[in-house]
Amino acid sequence: MTARRSIGRISDAIRVNTPNYDYYYLCPELRRKRMIPVVTRVRAKSLEEFGALVHHSGEEYIYVLEGRAEIHTEFYDPVVLEAGESVYIDSSMGHAYVAAAG
């Protein structure tokens, strides 16, 4: 048991901006986490704007808080998620998230 605890407030998050996303890394004071909690604002509005699919180690759980997100993956057809919907993926599979119309 480690009994670690961290309150994740957006005001304390580490913000990283990229052309496709604004990332808010929560609970930054904890080191060696088993998972990395991130709130992400999707900026890209099309796969063409996004560019090449991203590959990296690990897994991702995507939960849409508001709006609509179009999830592109290397081996599956794109899917549009509405607020309250989610998907879990293997991050080594190419992937990209773009803001869906509407």
Side-chain angles (χ1 to χ4, degrees):
M1 176 176 9
T2 62
R4 299 192 312 161
R5 184 184 100 158
S6 177
I7 307 298
R9 294 190 173 96
I10 202 78
S11 59
D12 297 330
I14 294 175
R15 184 174 178 179
V16 176
N17 298 326
T18 71
N20 295 319
Y21 306 120
D22 293 335
Y23 295 106
Y24 298 85
Y25 289 90
L26 301 172
C27 307
E29 74 280 2
L30 286 182
R31 302 291 180 228
R32 302 171 76 191
K33 293 187 275 290
R34 293 186 186 148
M35 55 87 69
I36 300 170
V38 183
V39 173
T40 305
R41 179 174 306 258
V42 177
R43 299 174 71 177
K45 294 186 175 41
S46 70
L47 194 54
E48 293 74 25
E49 180 183 345
F50 185 93
L53 298 179
V54 176
H55 300 79
H56 56 83
S57 64
E59 298 173 318
E60 296 181 31
Y61 176 73
I62 299 93
Y63 180 89
V64 179
L65 294 171
E66 63 182 50
R68 303 171 77 225
E70 190 172 287
I71 311 303
H72 294 266
T73 55
E74 188 172 7
F75 302 114
Y76 296 91
D77 290 334
V79 62
V80 174
L81 298 178
E82 307 282 341
E85 296 180 331
S86 64
V87 64
Y88 192 101
I89 67 166
D90 175 349
S91 300
S92 65
M93 171 177 57
H95 58 282
Y97 316 136
V98 298

